[in-house]
């Protein structure tokens, strides 16, 4: 337990250091590919969130999801990529190939769908190669290009606000 706390502390320290060196790159391209990182310990409606994006005109084949769970049971099976704190090393890197592939993929839009700061989620969001990052206002302001002030349970409000502002920014 104490070692997990220390690992979390050092990872957060690394993420905060990396966030101070973030350079935001402006992109004028339209949104076609979307990556979603979210915390399943607070929000279980992953499929409903994806369907809202599909209803707004994003093709389902262009949406990739990465889910964070606090605890993964030994024999638990998933039909989508899942990671936890156990996949995080002491040097603030991930050992799991699904996480490495997700962070290496270039997305036009990355939706950071979590409203509590956890070091593993912040690290994935920071390492992502997405050109435009969107998240909640309760998360570190340096991580996202655009922040929406709502709660994670209000996914319909989040998507409505997101697409309203993406239209204003000529991203869709």
């Amino acid at each position: 337990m104490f070692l997990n706390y220390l690992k979390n502390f050092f990872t957060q320290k690394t993420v905060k250091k990396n966030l101070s060196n973030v350079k935001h790159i402006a992109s004028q391209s339209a949104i076609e590919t979307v990556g979603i990182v979210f915390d399943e310990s607070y929000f279980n409606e992953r499929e409903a969130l994806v369907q809202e994006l599909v209803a707004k005109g994003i093709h389902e084949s262009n949406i990739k999801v990465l889910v964070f769970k606090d605890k993964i049971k030994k024999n638990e099976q998933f039909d989508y990529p899942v990671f936890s704190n156990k996949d995080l090393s002491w040097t603030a890197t991930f050992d799991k190939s699904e996480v490495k592939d997700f962070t290496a993929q270039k997305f036009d839009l990355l939706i950071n769908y979590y409203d509590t700061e956890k070091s593993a989620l912040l690290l994935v969001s920071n390492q992502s190669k997405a050109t435009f990052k969107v998240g909640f206002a309760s998360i570190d302001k340096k991580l996202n290009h655009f922040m929406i002030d709502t709660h994670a349970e209000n996914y319909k409000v989040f998507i409505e606000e997101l697409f309203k502002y993406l239209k204003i920014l000529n991203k869709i």
Side-chain angles (χ1 to χ4, degrees):
M1 188 69 168
F2 180 71
L3 292 177
N4 286 336
Y5 176 77
L6 276 176
K7 182 168 78 169
N8 191 31
F9 173 77
F10 288 123
T11 303
Q12 281 186 341
K13 188 175 178 181
T14 302
V15 169
K16 297 290 182 185
K17 180 182 167 190
N18 289 341
L19 284 177
S20 65
N21 300 328
V22 170
K23 295 177 184 172
H24 292 291
I25 301 169
S27 171
Q28 299 300 323
S29 63
I31 304 291
E32 291 181 17
T33 57
V34 177
I36 305 172
V37 178
F38 73 88
D39 186 359
E40 198 171 76
S41 53
Y42 295 109
F43 182 74
N44 297 338
E45 301 183 42
R46 171 189 58 88
E47 196 59 42
L49 181 67
V50 170
Q51 291 307 315
E52 283 289 322
L53 288 171
V54 169
K56 293 291 186 182
I58 306 292
H59 294 288
E60 192 166 2
S61 61
N62 292 342
I63 300 172
K64 303 288 184 221
V65 176
L66 184 64
V67 178
F68 175 81
K69 288 188 76 145
D70 285 326
K71 296 187 183 209
I72 299 175
K73 295 176 184 162
K74 193 171 189 176
N75 295 327
E76 200 169 6
Q77 297 292 323
F78 300 100
D79 58 343
Y80 48 90
V82 176
F83 72 105
S84 70
N85 282 326
K86 288 186 178 183
D87 300 317
L88 184 62
S89 72
W90 281 85
T91 58
T93 58
F94 287 99
D95 300 327
K96 203 166 192 177
S97 63
E98 291 96 347
V99 179
K100 288 180 181 179
D101 294 342
F102 187 87
T103 57
Q105 188 170 358
K106 289 199 175 229
F107 294 110
D108 297 325
L109 174 66
L110 178 68
I111 299 175
N112 296 314
Y113 204 83
Y114 52 89
D115 57 359
T116 55
E117 289 189 4
K118 295 183 180 176
S119 58
L121 290 166
L122 293 173
L123 187 62
V124 167
S125 300
N126 187 36
Q127 290 179 346
S128 175
K129 304 289 187 267
T131 56
F132 191 69
K133 297 177 183 178
V134 176
F136 289 94
S138 59
I139 303 300
D140 193 336
K141 309 293 186 239
K142 295 178 241 172
L143 185 65
N144 298 312
H145 297 103
F146 184 72
M147 284 113 2
I148 297 174
D149 191 15
T150 186
H151 298 289
E153 296 82 23
N154 302 332
Y155 67 93
K156 290 184 180 186
V157 172
F158 182 87
I159 296 297
E160 287 295 323
E161 290 294 313
L162 172 63
F163 276 86
K164 179 171 75 174
Y165 286 104
L166 287 177
K167 189 169 188 155
I168 291 170
L169 295 171
N170 292 324
K171 295 277 189 189
I172 54 172

